[in-house]
Amino acid sequence: MSARPRPASTRLPARSDSPFRRLARPWLSPRVFDFWASRLHPTWSWERPLARIVERRAESADAVTLVLRPNRHWHGCRPGQHLNVSAEIDGCRVTRSYSPTGLPGRDRRVAITVKAVDGGKLSRHLCERAKVGDVLDLGPAFGDMQLDENAAAPRLFLAAGSGITPLIALTRALAARGMPAPLSLLYWARKREQLCFVDELRSYAAAHPRFQLRFLLTGEAADAADEGQGRIDAAQLATIADLADREVYACGPGGFVDEARALLAARTVSFQAEAFSPPPRTQEDLDGTVEITLAASARTVTVARGQSLLGALEAQGLKLASGCRMGICNTCACGKRSGSTRHLHTGDAQHEPVSALRLCVNSATSDLVLDL
Amino acid sequence: MTTTTRNRKLSPDELDSFGRELDEVRARAVAQLGQRDADYIRRIVAAVRWTGLGGRLALMIGAIGGAFVSGLLIPAWIVGVLLLALSKILENMELGHNVMHGQYDWMRDPHLDGKTYEWDIVATGDNWRKTHNYQHHTWTNVRGMDDDIGYGLLRLFPEQRWRPFYLFQPIVAVIFAVLFEWGVAIQDLRLGRWWYGKISNAQMRKNFRPVGRKMARQLIKDYLFFPLLAGPFFLPVLLGNIVANVLRNLWTYTVIFCGHFTADAETFAKESVKNESRGHWYLRQLRGSSNLTGGRLMDLMTGNLSHQIEHHFFPDIPAHRYAAMAVDVRAICARYGQHYNTGSLPRQFGQVVWRILRHALPSRPPVKRARLARSSA
């Protein structure tokens, strides 16, 4: 239930083809196929991974779990990974990344848990308006936070807020295997009603003596035996047995992850962390430089902020397709995977990944990842 | 840029505010983009698909059923041809042309992506994005830079040098209209330059490869695959597909020629676009373009190129918004004393036909004529 960096492209994924599709491709336009296929079934498509919402349930006071049934173009996901989810909001596809909380088994269903973020476009849409039967676009799975399959090492999971989503998936995977090694989960939230998966986690704690569970509240008093109080600190971590032998997985807001790293990184066997991206900067200065990652050519260049991206990239020696250089012909447009840009004529800021960013009339206001 | 009696000369300040006011019209439209535009273009997609299916089915029913039921062939064939032509016109104009301008890129729908869209005519989308989106829209009616002035084939303005070949222009123009999609397909190949040895054979082979592939694909689809579905009764289907493509060609040719070749449309010298300001750019688009009156149906069937002026001002705004934007544009043009070139299809096309006929014969630009008259007096 997080909004984080979105490395995947908004374009169709390139994949290997079946012989039938290779044969049919020159004659059958995916556009035409998808139009007719979607009349027959909402998630049938030539190559787009799509998923239908088949169930929704409240997970906490401000989070819902959506169970999705993807079509055959989606290739699954391992516990702890993320995937891009897109929905059309007011005519425009909005993409955010979520870590599946329920993973595909025999029934090929995948669940995401979404917390309604203040001012969040997609999270508000999914929490408040998305209904059973709606179709969402799915991206391929990505992310490195995965269990080391062979190690029977004891583990420590630190989750704050939405950071529970990859960790619940990992916890479930371990519970399904009977908790092969000691596992401690510390899970922070402001208020009790914002905690997700409480009953499920308590049932694991009751069933597996090697699973130690602690809910930590920062905005109200602790009540139950497995509850504590206060932000992450050394005293809380001191309650964990064999801390130095643990593999640590931390997930939550940037400040939380930084704090966990400072407290633990040097004291444990390993430390893996994922932090939510900070909200896009809206107050940018025109001076200074930004880093532009060219995803297709695996290069990174540094360009000045506030000048046309086309000119700035050309000054770095790149040869780019361009035409009118005034924003009308669309020749220099390319996909932007992440980062913020500003339109030089209108001053409009754009923080979303877009499929067609006109380089000649936009400037970078943050680091960018472009499909170049 | 010539200033006729219909157009007031604008001071640099006026030009700036003229450009600024038009930028504001654009900004208001951009701010409104949303569900309504997405619904509109999806309805167009559905209309293209359903009329296409209906047309092909009617042709099939006419061809196969007509062999057994007398009196079925002709009416089903006519219905099939008209539906298929309608589908191709909508796909060509309102869907393909407008999507390839990037008008719906903001939706981030990979099927409506301006950079990758491929349309249902023999010209490749990539060639079109270059000759049309870039060359024509940037250098609208600039002589020597905008190939759309006569497409290297016709003499429509007296500023173009006359050659004896142009005497055949009335016939050439009709052939060009019938085969219009083929003309568009080879426009970017610049066969003339190859003929005169300015493009090497190897380069031409390379340039032709994607064009040839697209041509083959279209030919096989319309003139082999669908006719052969009717088995031994393929001939009516084949003829139906040919006629539908020709009808679409004639219509798109008519609409496109009305956009820039009416009596008051102007062309410009290369020097006039050096260091062109935003206001000046708008002014050139205005004086080089002309609209068609005719209401919603005309807007739909022309892909809103009935609002050619608005299209040239705002090529990347969803075209179905042009009609509403035209109210503001017209008022601004009136305030700045600029002629807003619009008229009915018969009137505008009549002027185009007159240009085709008149400039087949030697003719002189009005300025030169005036100068000559003065010197001989």
Side-chain angles (χ1 to χ4, degrees):
Chain A
M1 55 193 188
S2 66
R4 29 175 84 246
R6 301 168 288 271
S9 162
T10 50
R11 296 194 181 229
L12 294 175
R15 300 199 308 103
S16 60
D17 268 345
S18 69
F20 165 74
R21 287 165 25 130
R22 261 205 309 278
L23 210 67
R25 182 174 297 276
W27 312 107
L28 187 57
S29 151
R31 278 181 192 85
V32 179
F33 181 89
D34 284 3
F35 177 85
W36 293 115
S38 65
R39 308 289 115 170
L40 300 173
H41 189 280
T43 61
W44 284 358
S45 83
W46 179 252
E47 60 191 355
R48 283 170 76 169
L50 302 172
R52 203 155 60 102
I53 301 175
V54 290
E55 189 189 327
R56 63 169 287 154
R57 55 172 187 264
E59 201 63 68
S60 75
D62 56 358
V64 295
T65 290
L66 300 174
V67 182
L68 310 176
R69 188 171 161 73
N71 66 14
R72 58 186 209 85
H73 300 303
W74 190 69
H75 294 297
C77 180
R78 287 190 298 276
Q81 284 196 302
H82 293 77
L83 56 101
N84 281 353
V85 176
S86 319
E88 194 169 300
I89 302 168
D90 206 12
C92 175
R93 248 165 52 117
V94 178
T95 305
R96 294 288 183 271
S97 299
Y98 293 96
S99 183
T101 50
L103 287 150
R106 272 240 185 90
D107 58 358
R108 286 188 42 79
R109 288 172 180 212
V110 58
I112 55 171
T113 303
V114 182
K115 181 183 166 167
V117 179
D118 279 339
K121 247 187 194 165
L122 187 60
S123 69
R124 290 260 159 216
H125 173 81
L126 293 178
C127 284
E128 290 159 16
R129 291 185 294 279
K131 55 188 188 300
V132 169
D134 284 3
V135 173
L136 306 173
D137 280 62
L138 286 191
F142 62 91
D144 302 324
M145 189 131 106
Q146 290 172 53
L147 290 179
D148 185 348
E149 288 291 326
N150 302 318
R155 298 182 180 90
L156 169 62
F157 289 175
L158 304 172
S162 310
I164 191 63
T165 53
L167 296 178
I168 186 75
L170 295 174
T171 304
R172 283 175 180 161
L174 289 169
R177 282 160 34 193
M179 291 291 170
L183 170 65
S184 295
L185 170 64
L186 303 190
Y187 176 13
W188 279 264
R190 207 164 58 79
K191 288 180 182 289
R192 189 172 292 110
E193 59 173 24
Q194 292 172 323
L195 292 164
C196 295
F197 315 112
V198 173
D199 295 342
E200 183 187 353
L201 287 169
R202 282 190 172 139
S203 75
Y204 294 149
H208 301 285
R210 286 201 275 197
F211 179 49
Q212 184 194 356
L213 172 68
R214 199 148 180 79
F215 299 112
L216 292 145
L217 305 169
T218 59
E220 63 188 329
D223 199 1
D226 57 2
E227 286 178 354
Q229 231 173 295
R231 308 177 84 86
I232 183 168
D233 61 24
Q236 284 165 352
L237 296 173
T239 63
I240 308 296
D242 321 318
L243 187 60
D245 299 332
R246 301 253 176 180
E247 289 184 350
V248 181
Y249 296 73
C251 190
F256 170 82
V257 168
D258 290 345
E259 189 61 42
R261 194 189 308 274
L263 287 166
L264 286 172
R267 299 175 50 197
T268 54
V269 172
S270 69
F271 184 88
Q272 288 195 55
E274 271 179 359
F276 308 149
S277 56
R281 323 161 42 125
T282 47
Q283 191 67 50
E284 89 281 358
D285 47 77
L286 296 177
D287 305 322
T289 58
V290 292
E291 288 214 326
I292 298 184
T293 306
L294 310 170
S297 49
R299 270 184 71 184
T300 302
V301 295
T302 305
V303 306
R305 232 183 260 274
Q307 78 177 105
S308 140
L309 277 165
L310 182 61
L313 290 170
E314 283 177 342
Q316 293 292 318
L318 269 82
K319 294 214 173 1
L320 302 170
S322 70
C324 67
R325 308 185 80 91
M326 56 194 286
I328 57 161
C329 75
N330 218 27
T331 306
C332 64
C334 79
K336 179 186 83 176
R337 301 190 188 181
S338 68
S340 299
T341 52
R342 177 169 293 259
H343 196 283
L344 291 168
H345 295 165
T346 64
D348 292 339
Q350 174 62 268
H351 309 297
E352 302 282 332
V354 293
S355 55
L357 173 74
R358 289 171 198 213
L359 298 174
C360 64
V361 287
N362 280 284
S363 64
T365 55
S366 75
D367 290 352
L368 299 180
V369 181
L370 300 178
D371 286 324
L372 284 173
Chain B
M1 202 176 291
T2 57
T3 301
T4 64
T5 49
R6 314 194 73 163
N7 292 314
R8 183 156 64 80
K9 191 164 167 49
L10 298 179
S11 70
D13 280 353
E14 282 180 309
L15 260 182
D16 281 349
S17 59
F18 179 67
R20 211 164 31 245
E21 287 195 43
L22 288 169
D23 278 344
E24 283 161 15
V25 174
R26 184 197 145 80
R28 282 198 291 276
V30 169
Q32 289 171 4
L33 293 182
Q35 197 63 49
R36 187 157 77 86
D37 305 87
D39 291 344
Y40 178 82
I41 198 64
R42 297 238 166 83
R43 275 204 304 277
I44 295 294
V45 171
V48 167
R49 302 279 174 253
W50 283 107
T51 50
L53 179 74
R56 295 201 187 276
L57 274 179
L59 282 176
M60 216 59 79
I61 291 166
I64 300 171
F68 304 101
V69 184
S70 65
L72 183 63
L73 175 63
I74 305 279
W77 189 85
I78 291 173
V79 167
V81 166
L82 292 179
L83 276 177
L84 191 54
L86 174 67
S87 172
K88 282 173 174 281
I89 285 169
L90 287 177
E91 205 280 340
N92 194 164
M93 314 284 269
E94 186 68 310
L95 191 54
H97 168 262
N98 290 337
V99 165
M100 282 198 283
H101 266 292
Q103 291 180 0
Y104 297 92
D105 281 0
W106 57 272
M107 289 173 62
R108 300 175 208 146
D109 180 338
H111 286 343
L112 297 170
D113 177 11
K115 296 283 281 182
T116 57
Y117 193 88
E118 190 57 67
W119 54 357
D120 182 27
I121 80 171
V122 292
T124 68
D126 284 337
N127 280 158
W128 178 257
R129 278 181 271 266
K130 183 174 156 206
T131 58
H132 180 84
N133 290 10
Y134 166 49
Q135 278 166 349
H136 170 60
H137 272 268
T138 312
W139 312 117
T140 309
N141 278 24
V142 176
R143 296 188 295 277
M145 297 176 90
D146 177 6
D147 285 344
D148 283 17
I149 303 177
Y151 295 89
L153 199 63
L154 303 175
R155 182 174 183 264
L156 298 161
F157 292 90
E159 290 87 351
Q160 293 170 278
R161 201 159 55 105
W162 185 84
R163 283 183 279 129
F165 169 75
Y166 291 127
L167 288 171
F168 302 103
Q169 173 156 297
I171 303 161
V172 171
V174 172
I175 297 169
F176 187 41
V178 171
L179 300 175
F180 189 57
E181 62 171 325
W182 293 88
V184 174
I186 61 171
Q187 187 182 357
D188 195 42
L189 294 177
R190 299 167 162 262
L191 294 176
R193 290 172 59 82
W194 170 67
W195 184 255
Y196 289 109
K198 287 181 185 159
I199 297 174
S200 71
N201 286 338
Q203 185 63 40
M204 182 48 81
R205 263 197 299 281
K206 187 164 164 277
N207 294 350
F208 182 74
R209 208 168 299 136
V211 180
R213 234 190 332 256
K214 182 78 193 287
M215 287 173 171
R217 196 192 133 140
Q218 289 296 106
L219 285 174
I220 291 172
K221 175 170 75 71
D222 273 353
Y223 302 144
L224 210 61
F225 176 76
F226 282 112
L228 287 183
L229 280 187
F233 314 108
F234 70 93
L235 197 59
V237 179
L238 173 68
L239 283 175
N241 284 0
I242 292 173
V243 174
N245 273 321
V246 166
L247 284 179
R248 184 263 309 268
N249 285 350
L250 292 174
W251 175 250
T252 52
Y253 173 95
T254 306
V255 170
I256 286 161
F257 271 51
C258 285
H260 298 289
F261 310 139
T262 55
D264 291 328
E266 295 173 34
T267 63
F268 312 97
K270 274 185 191 174
E271 304 83 70
S272 71
V273 294
K274 277 206 187 105
N275 300 321
E276 198 176 41
S277 70
R278 184 93 176 133
H280 204 265
W281 181 81
Y282 273 125
L283 197 62
R284 176 162 59 82
Q285 304 299 334
L286 174 67
R287 293 189 184 172
S289 309
S290 44
N291 282 7
L292 295 168
T293 54
R296 293 306 299 159
L297 185 64
M298 181 65 92
D299 292 348
L300 177 69
M301 293 302 288
T302 59
N304 284 286
L305 290 183
S306 49
H307 292 285
Q308 188 77 239
I309 294 170
E310 286 75 18
H311 175 55
H312 268 265
F313 283 176
F314 319 111
D316 58 349
I317 301 288
H320 73 108
R321 290 189 171 269
Y322 292 160
M325 297 169 84
V327 178
D328 291 341
V329 169
R330 236 182 140 151
I332 292 168
C333 290
R335 248 184 302 116
Y336 285 83
Q338 300 302 310
H339 174 52
Y340 184 90
N341 187 343
T342 186
S344 67
L345 181 69
R347 174 175 176 268
Q348 301 290 66
F349 195 63
Q351 295 180 355
V352 171
V353 171
W354 174 245
R355 268 197 190 276
I356 291 171
L357 296 175
R358 172 65 190 93
H359 299 298
L361 301 167
S363 54
R364 280 206 196 93
V367 186
K368 276 193 188 156
R369 263 206 314 270
R371 209 179 293 144
L372 278 174
R374 263 202 308 279
S375 61
S376 63

